[in-house]
């Protein structure tokens, strides 16, 4: 039976305010350009741009920013019927970005009492989730209640209805109270996901350690549900491991880097899209790496998400 959605993403949709003036500190930056941001929203937008059928579950504020987010995602072709409007005065998260140089980028976050972390478990609909091939959840949504419980409920519905779960670790330190809390909730979700994607540093957070290695990570997670684990090592490329012992690797692609943010979201969108359309794991890794390279060369994260032809062109040019 063909499902209505290739992917449903769950979590935050917020506002990115990216510095228009490059090569200067934020103290001296006077102009910013507004985009939709937030890892799950960016992955949804990236997936839709690649041609996937996408749904989104989240909570947005009842104000101009909320309406901007919903309108942008609608225009991107994403089903927003499960984007709930917060009625208690919570606001959208704001991310101001500083672009000092391609190597020196930072983000100044405003995420106190943000609407996306008030997505409630009673707002998660089983009927909606069962219409997807894949449910994507991101780590930041686990940082506080009630969003944390909403994620766990969504995963339980996915498991019940044979919907695959992808967990994008998406670790943002400013959202969490303690490192122990990160390790507890990341481990619970990773152990119950089919696909886990993150950087080496993010896996270290999940494991409550520094300087971990890939073998220890896969030895741990393959005791549980995951079938596929992707571990990213920045410019050194990325590795994928399968439960049956397969190991795959892809390098990074050369590009004119403008900024460092947005790469992980574009990577996840393209990697999952490639898998869903029947590409092998090695090809999916290349799709992810090429997509990330394209986005870091552009000003935005969401609007810069590439098309399939742009990804395939970069792969062919550098193969």
């Amino acid at each position: 039976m063909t499902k209505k959605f290739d992917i449903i993403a769950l979590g935050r949709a917020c506002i990115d305010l990216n510095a228009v003036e490059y090569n200067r500190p934020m103290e001296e930056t006077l102009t910013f350009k507004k985009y939709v941001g937030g890892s799950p929203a960016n992955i949804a937008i990236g997936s839709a741009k690649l041609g996937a059928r996408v749904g989104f579950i989240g909570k947005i504020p009842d104000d101009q920013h909320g309406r901007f987010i919903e309108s942008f995602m609608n225009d991107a072709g994403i089903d927003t019927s499960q984007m709930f409007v917060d009625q208690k005065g919570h606001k959208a998260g704001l991310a101001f970005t500083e672009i000092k140089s391609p190597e020196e980028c930072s983000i100044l976050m405003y995420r106190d009492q943000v609407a996306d972390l008030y997505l409630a478990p009673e707002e998660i609909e089983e009927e909606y989730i069962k219409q997807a091939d894949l449910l994507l959840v991101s780590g930041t949504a686990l940082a506080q209640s009630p969003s944390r419980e909403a994620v766990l409920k969504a995963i339980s519905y996915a498991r019940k209805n044979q919907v695959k779960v992808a967990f994008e670790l998406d670790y943002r330190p400013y959202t969490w109270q303690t490192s122990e809390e990160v390790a507890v909730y990341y481990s619970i979700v990773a152990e119950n996901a089919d696909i886990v994607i993150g950087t080496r540093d993010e896996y270290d957070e999940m494991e409550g350690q520094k300087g971990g290695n890939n073998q220890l990570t896969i030895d741990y997670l393959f005791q549980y549900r995951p079938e596929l684990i992707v571990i990213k090592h920045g410019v050194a490329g990325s590795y994928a491991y399968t439960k049956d012992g397969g190991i795959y690797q892809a390098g990074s692609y050369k590009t004119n880097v403008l900024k460092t943010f947005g790469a992980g979201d574009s990577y996840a969108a393209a990697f999952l899209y490639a898998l869903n359309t029947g590409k092998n794991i090695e090809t999916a890794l290349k799709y992810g790496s090429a997509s990330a390279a394209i986005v870091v060369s552009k000003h935005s994260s969401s609007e810069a998400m590439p098309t399939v032809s742009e990804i395939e062109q970069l792969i062919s040019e550098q193969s």
Side-chain angles (χ1 to χ4, degrees):
M1 185 182 90
T2 303
K3 301 283 189 78
K4 182 177 179 181
F5 300 110
D6 298 308
I7 182 171
I8 291 173
L10 184 157
R12 76 189 189 284
C14 46
I15 301 290
D16 281 353
L17 293 156
N18 289 4
V20 172
E21 299 145 45
Y22 310 147
N23 308 317
R24 65 177 60 186
M26 199 178 298
E27 293 88 338
E28 298 172 14
T29 303
L30 301 179
T31 47
F32 298 83
K33 186 170 181 186
K34 181 171 75 172
Y35 301 103
V36 171
S39 180
N42 284 338
I43 292 170
I45 292 161
S47 300
K49 196 156 180 186
L50 292 168
R53 298 162 304 147
V54 184
F56 193 85
I57 302 170
K59 185 161 269 190
I60 51 175
D62 187 14
D63 61 17
Q64 298 94 323
H65 284 323
R67 290 189 286 278
F68 170 77
I69 291 166
E70 185 174 18
S71 172
F72 185 93
M73 292 180 75
N74 270 326
D75 291 346
I78 296 162
D79 178 81
T80 57
S81 64
Q82 301 300 298
M83 284 185 76
F84 299 95
V85 178
D86 179 89
Q87 299 300 327
K88 295 184 177 174
H90 300 118
K91 301 304 180 191
L94 300 178
F96 289 86
T97 66
E98 174 182 65
I99 306 175
K100 283 188 185 176
S101 72
E103 299 79 31
E104 263 191 304
C105 296
S106 69
I107 300 176
L108 178 62
M109 295 295 299
Y110 289 74
R111 281 193 59 76
D112 189 33
Q113 300 283 308
V114 285
D116 59 86
L117 290 175
Y118 286 88
L119 178 68
E122 56 269 25
E123 292 169 319
I124 304 298
E125 291 186 12
E126 182 175 1
E127 283 302 311
Y128 192 71
I129 288 171
K130 71 196 286 189
Q131 296 179 71
D133 284 329
L134 181 78
L135 172 71
L136 175 116
V137 299
S138 90
T140 300
L142 297 166
Q144 292 174 24
S145 299
S147 170
R148 173 183 291 165
E149 290 75 19
V151 173
L152 297 176
K153 189 171 182 183
I155 291 170
S156 70
Y157 282 151
R159 293 281 303 267
K160 180 180 167 187
N161 291 283
Q162 290 76 54
V163 174
K164 292 226 182 282
V165 175
F167 180 31
E168 219 298 338
L169 296 183
D170 179 39
Y171 174 63
R172 299 286 184 266
Y174 38 74
T175 317
W176 292 85
Q177 302 299 314
T178 66
S179 56
E180 288 77 13
E181 199 180 29
V182 178
V184 167
Y185 288 102
Y186 270 44
S187 297
I188 288 170
V189 173
E191 289 168 13
N192 283 282
D194 300 279
I195 302 168
V196 187
I197 303 173
T199 65
R200 181 62 258 167
D201 289 345
E202 287 174 325
Y203 281 99
D204 286 355
E205 293 293 338
M206 180 183 76
E207 294 161 21
Q209 62 171 349
K210 292 281 179 271
N213 69 65
N214 293 4
Q215 189 62 48
L216 289 175
T217 299
I218 63 173
D219 287 348
Y220 152 53
L221 283 177
F222 283 151
Q223 298 175 72
Y224 299 95
R225 187 174 180 84
E227 296 286 336
L228 175 60
I229 296 168
V230 177
I231 305 178
K232 296 179 289 183
H233 290 262
V235 293
S238 52
Y239 294 82
Y241 302 88
T242 56
K243 204 168 218 163
D244 60 10
I247 301 174
Y248 307 86
Q249 198 264 334
S252 57
Y253 289 88
K254 294 184 179 68
T255 187
N256 292 318
V257 177
L258 171 65
K259 59 169 175 29
T260 52
F261 36 86
D265 305 336
S266 56
Y267 183 105
F271 177 80
L272 294 170
Y273 169 82
L275 283 186
N276 194 55
T277 51
K279 305 277 192 293
N280 62 35
I281 292 171
E282 190 174 358
T283 303
L285 287 172
K286 290 178 179 177
Y287 264 63
S289 294
S291 182
I294 291 166
V295 167
V296 296
S297 72
K298 307 277 182 71
H299 188 248
S300 85
S301 298
S302 54
E303 286 185 16
M305 292 292 174
T307 61
V308 173
S309 60
E310 288 174 309
I311 289 172
E312 291 180 345
Q313 183 181 347
L314 181 58
I315 292 171
S316 66
E317 284 171 357
Q318 296 192 27
S319 59

